[in-house]
Amino acid sequence: MSIKTVFISLLALAGAVSVPQTDFDVIVVGGGPAGLSALSGVARVRRNALLFDNQQYRNAPTREMHDVIGNDGTPPATFRGLAREQISKYDTVHWKNETVASIVPLDGDFSVFNVTDATGASYTARKIVLGTGLRDLIPPTPGMREAFGKGIFWCPWCDGYEHRDQPFGIVADVANVLGAVLEVHTLNSDIIAFTNGTRTPDGEARAAAKYPDWDKQLEAWNVTIDNRIIQSFERLQDGGAHRDNDEDKQYDKFRVHFTEGEPVERNAFLVDYPTDQTSTLPYQMGLEMDGSKIKVASSMRTNETGVFAIGDANSDGSTNVPHAMFSGKRAAVYIHVEMSREESKSKISKREGMISQRELEEEANKAIGDNLEREWKRAQDLQ
Ligand SMILES: Cc1cc2nc3c(=O)[nH]c(=O)nc-3n(C[C@H](O)[C@H](O)[C@H](O)COP(=O)(O)OP(=O)(O)OC[C@H]3O[C@@H](n4cnc5c(N)ncnc54)[C@H](O)[C@@H]3O)c2cc1C
Ligand SMILES: *[C@@H]1O[C@H](CO)[C@@H](O)[C@H](O)[C@H]1NC(C)=O
Ligand SMILES: *[C@@H]1O[C@H](CO)[C@@H](O)[C@H](O)[C@H]1NC(C)=O
Ligand SMILES: *[C@@H]1O[C@H](CO)[C@@H](O)[C@H](O)[C@H]1NC(C)=O
Ligand SMILES: *[C@@H]1O[C@H](CO)[C@@H](O)[C@H](O)[C@H]1NC(C)=O
Ligand SMILES: *[C@@H]1O[C@H](CO)[C@@H](O)[C@H](O)[C@H]1NC(C)=O
């Protein structure tokens, strides 16, 4: 769209715009820390909002949540429960424990959507927040999924401290081992890297491309590599029961079996596997993606006007509870202000000529994105 087209269409609109009449101002999809935080933000300014939650939380398997100040060691379900209880006091919030099946934009002067849930019920809203999360693609290796979040973990900040100074394993492609070691060497010194057959000439070349002296560094950190093919993880002890709460230590214990040779015992493992969107909605809605993440601007806006993405699901490259809360809060502020601008515009829309150049600029920015800022400056330079 050229800058001229945008202005002509906006000037035409400026005559009489109206805010769509909808069931809700905002529909939030996701009841994790991201969605709850967005809901809180819009509730505090009395926006009518509905939150959908089909209860597939990424951190569901973990025993306790960590590195969330004020809530270090709180079980995630307790944390979410307290959030729901506190947000429920705002009488503009509504809840549904249902799966959202589709979100379809409708025509209007401003963004408006039709949201249909798995029961077939549908609701309209002016803004959409996707806090739909990521899921971990853990391989079907026997014993692994059951232990994920309980002695086998992906995030040193989440679970590492409780397994400090214990015999430790890293399960990763050989090229990613050093990166993992550099995250955990302050927690564990007896480390074996299980590279599951990836230490080939090609694997070593990929490792060297990242860190030319990767093998010397591993040696310096006392890390040995076991390249046998992993067959299963046998749990020998459950750190949920064998724990020292005063010392913040959990004593899980596993025996790793291979397709050949003797098994190896370790207390805990850091693993490295890819993730994908928990929900198919971002793909269904045709949102711009960045790999498997929903592409967002710093405002948490996606490339579909009126749709915001927050938490693990978005492209910020930060997947933890503090980020989920930050991004939900940030989206709530942008959403409220965006809706207020629409309401304000609609109030004066009959008085033609009252739309200022500044407002038009803002509106055009929204319509075609940040690129316009450059275009606008160029246009002003030409004047
Ligand atoms: C084992 C493990 C331990 C972790 N420990 C920690 C930790 O200690 N500290 C920390 O900061 N981070 C931790 N994390 C990361 C943390 O879980 C995520 O960063 C956080 O959950 C992201 O919040 P979110 O709201 O974006 O997504 P989630 O918490 O995953 O919530 C997604 C929500 O979207 C809902 N949803 C998805 N699709 C639909 C749909 N179509 N309709 C309705 N609802 C839908 C889900 O049901 C869910 O309510 C851990 C992760 C794992 C895997
Ligand atoms: C929805 O799920 C939450 C969390 O499990 C629960 O506390 C709440 O009671 C449920 N609401 C309904 C209406 O079932
Ligand atoms: C929303 O979609 C449902 C079907 O999913 C349809 O029955 C309903 O009429 C639609 N509502 C609007 C306002 O378009
Ligand atoms: C080990 O490698 C095989 C073959 O690539 C793969 O199928 C399996 O999931 C891997 N196991 C683990 C635990 O990563
Ligand atoms: C170094 O690693 C070996 C084998 O993994 C282990 O036995 C030893 O305890 C480790 N040394 C230190 C200082 O942790
Ligand atoms: C968003 O980006 C995707 C992928 O680039 C594209 O297919 C889609 O049309 C865009 N949507 C809008 C509303 O521009």
Side-chain angles (χ1 to χ4, degrees):
M1 215 185 314
S2 79
I3 189 163
K4 216 172 189 175
T5 335
V6 170
F7 276 14
I8 288 166
S9 58
L10 282 170
L11 285 167
L13 273 179
V17 292
S18 65
V19 167
Q21 297 305 302
T22 54
D23 299 323
F24 298 98
D25 291 326
V26 185
I27 286 182
V28 178
V29 191
L36 290 167
S37 175
L39 186 67
S40 170
V42 296
R44 292 279 306 162
V45 286
R46 296 208 290 195
R47 290 290 179 185
N48 281 309
L50 171 62
L51 180 140
F52 281 96
D53 180 358
N54 68 0
Q55 291 156 309
Q56 291 169 27
Y57 312 107
R58 187 176 179 202
N59 59 3
T62 199
R63 292 172 185 137
E64 287 101 22
M65 181 178 81
H66 292 283
D67 206 11
V68 180
I69 56 167
N71 279 282
D72 196 25
T74 304
T78 307
F79 182 68
R80 287 188 300 265
L82 189 56
R84 274 195 302 264
E85 185 188 317
Q86 292 179 346
I87 297 168
S88 292
K89 82 172 183 194
Y90 299 99
D91 57 14
T92 58
V93 308
H94 306 268
W95 310 82
K96 279 211 167 285
N97 290 345
E98 288 295 343
T99 302
V100 171
S102 72
I103 301 176
V104 179
L106 303 173
D107 287 336
D109 291 335
F110 302 112
S111 64
V112 53
F113 302 89
N114 187 13
V115 176
T116 305
D117 73 19
T119 71
S122 62
Y123 308 87
T124 53
R126 291 166 57 191
K127 305 293 166 195
I128 300 293
V129 183
L130 296 178
T132 40
L134 289 181
R135 62 196 174 96
D136 296 276
L137 304 178
I138 308 297
T141 309
M144 198 171 206
R145 283 183 190 163
E146 301 91 300
F148 188 60
K150 299 178 176 72
I152 298 185
F153 54 89
W154 66 284
C155 155
W157 284 268
C158 306
D159 296 300
Y161 188 77
E162 286 64 38
H163 297 91
R164 66 195 183 278
D165 299 325
Q166 298 177 0
F168 196 68
I170 290 171
V171 182
D173 182 286
V174 69
N176 299 334
V177 170
L178 181 58
V181 169
L182 297 182
E183 287 189 356
V184 300
H185 76 89
T186 48
L187 294 167
N188 301 89
S189 53
D190 173 1
I191 302 175
I192 302 176
F194 299 97
T195 50
N196 191 37
T198 58
R199 185 173 195 174
T200 58
D202 171 62
E204 293 192 345
R206 284 184 290 108
K210 279 191 175 174
Y211 310 93
D213 48 5
W214 65 282
D215 44 351
K216 284 199 192 70
Q217 291 194 51
L218 288 185
E219 210 176 302
W221 292 116
N222 190 37
V223 177
T224 53
I225 292 184
D226 188 330
N227 194 39
R228 288 178 292 166
I229 303 296
I230 297 168
Q231 195 165 53
S232 65
F233 290 83
E234 178 190 358
R235 184 185 279 284
L236 302 177
Q237 187 165 289
D238 184 353
H242 294 83
R243 55 191 292 167
D244 180 338
N245 288 332
D246 295 334
E247 291 290 319
D248 288 318
K249 287 198 162 180
Q250 296 177 12
Y251 299 97
D252 293 283
K253 197 168 186 184
F254 301 89
R255 187 178 285 141
V256 197
H257 296 273
F258 304 90
T259 53
E260 51 170 346
E262 290 303 302
V264 175
E265 288 182 10
R266 299 270 97 183
N267 284 65
F269 298 86
L270 185 74
V271 300
D272 179 28
Y273 293 108
T275 54
D276 196 2
Q277 294 288 320
T278 299
S279 171
T280 53
L281 287 170
Y283 299 111
Q284 254 184 57
M285 293 167 75
L287 300 180
E288 185 181 354
M289 306 296 287
D290 181 355
S292 62
K293 310 288 185 70
I294 307 170
K295 179 84 181 289
V296 290
S298 63
S299 57
M300 309 299 152
R301 288 185 172 94
T302 68
N303 79 321
E304 171 84 47
T305 304
V307 179
F308 295 69
I310 58 176
D312 281 13
N314 84 11
S315 60
D316 282 349
S318 185
T319 56
N320 52 66
V321 171
H323 166 265
M325 289 162 65
F326 151 76
S327 56
K329 161 68 185 165
R330 192 170 173 92
V333 171
Y334 276 86
I335 282 170
H336 175 57
V337 171
E338 186 169 302
M339 284 191 293
S340 296
R341 291 185 56 82
E342 293 170 0
E343 286 147 9
S344 193
K345 198 144 295 176
S346 148
K347 271 188 187 299
I348 61 160
S349 70
K350 288 192 186 70
R351 296 157 63 191
E352 241 173 291
M354 290 297 287
I355 302 258
S356 74
Q357 178 127 320
R358 174 73 195 155
E359 278 182 297
L360 267 179
E361 179 193 350
E362 297 265 2
E363 200 54 45
N365 252 319
K366 254 186 282 162
I368 68 170
D370 295 341
N371 287 345
L372 190 68
E373 236 155 68
R374 261 179 288 130
E375 290 256 32
W376 180 263
K377 287 210 182 74
R378 210 178 302 148
Q380 283 183 327
D381 288 346
L382 292 174
Q383 278 166 15

